[in-house]
Amino acid sequence: VLPVALGWLRLRGQRAGLNDTASGVALTAAATVLVMVAVIWWTAQLLERSDRERQRAADAVRQANEYLEQRVRERTAELETANQELHSQITERKRAETALTQSEANLQLAFEAGGLGDWNWNRVTGEVVWSARCKALYGLPPETVMSYERFLDAVHPEDRARVDAALKQAVETRAAYEVEKRVVWPDGSVHWTATRGRVFCDAAGKPVQMAGVTHDITERKQAEEAIRASEERYRSTLDN
């Protein structure tokens, strides 16, 4: 801009015949100074505006960085809290699992001490699960795969219909299941067992599971039979 302005002034001075006079030289010098001042002022304005824009950009970047740092701190805190909660849940779950395992072990010890065998019948899938002790009460090896039909086959033929009816009634009425029955072992020997169980229902009241325990009462039944036979012999002696 400055060279153009000075060239224009010299051209005007030449046309007016002022370039060779002292006043013309002074006027040219003054005009040159004014032009330079204007250029300097304009440049200063541009620099000032550029500085303002650069400062606004820097402020925007700073604010964005502060916002991001704040979000990072908040998210980090949230993740730490979630991690602590997850750790607490895992610890509590492990504690509950340990307690459940110990409880099941204690229950199994109680079953074994009392000669009890536990069983479970899933009414939805039809799956029947017996403990090894329960299978032993029927003379069956631990690896025997159980089913409802396999169970009924082990019941004495004279007791089978009664036992089947008692189970079905317990399911239909949601009542407790209690029955004493004879079972025939694979070797042909006959044993007595007593079974107690209950029905479990879902939220809709539909029976979904039965569970219970069985124990051997052969000795008790033999003792009862011996007493009955003795009483019959005594009454027969008195009658004679």
Side-chain angles (χ1 to χ4, degrees), residues 84-210:
Q84 292 175 357
E85 293 178 354
L86 179 60
H87 179 72
S88 299
Q89 292 175 2
I90 292 175
T91 302
E92 185 62 28
R93 180 176 179 179
K94 289 182 177 179
R95 187 181 298 111
E97 290 176 349
T98 300
L100 178 60
T101 300
Q102 185 62 46
S103 177
E104 290 176 346
N106 293 338
L107 182 61
Q108 193 62 39
L109 286 174
F111 283 164
E112 293 176 359
L116 301 174
D118 57 296
W119 53 269
N120 187 291
W121 180 20
N122 189 316
R123 293 282 302 166
V124 178
T125 65
E127 181 183 18
V128 176
V129 178
W130 285 13
S131 66
R133 175 59 185 166
C134 190
K135 294 175 183 177
L137 294 174
Y138 288 75
L140 301 173
E143 64 272 12
T144 303
V145 178
M146 295 306 302
S147 65
Y148 186 73
E149 292 73 19
R150 182 70 183 83
F151 157 67
L152 286 181
D153 288 342
V155 177
H156 193 284
E158 296 179 3
D159 297 341
R160 193 171 295 155
R162 175 174 58 85
V163 171
D164 185 42
L167 273 168
K168 291 178 179 178
Q169 182 179 10
V171 172
E172 292 175 359
T173 63
R174 283 65 163 170
Y177 167 67
E178 296 186 13
V179 67
E180 294 182 353
K181 62 189 181 299
R182 290 168 290 178
V183 296
V184 182
W185 284 21
D187 62 6
S189 59
V190 178
H191 301 257
W192 278 89
T193 64
T195 299
R196 290 178 175 81
R198 59 170 296 187
V199 178
F200 296 89
C201 301
D202 60 15
K206 179 182 177 181
V208 294
Q209 185 178 14
M210 281 194 71

Side-chain angles (χ1 to χ4, degrees), residues 3-17:
V4 173
L6 292 176
W8 180 81
L9 287 174
R10 289 193 185 96
L11 180 61
R12 297 295 296 177
Q14 290 175 356
R15 291 180 178 177

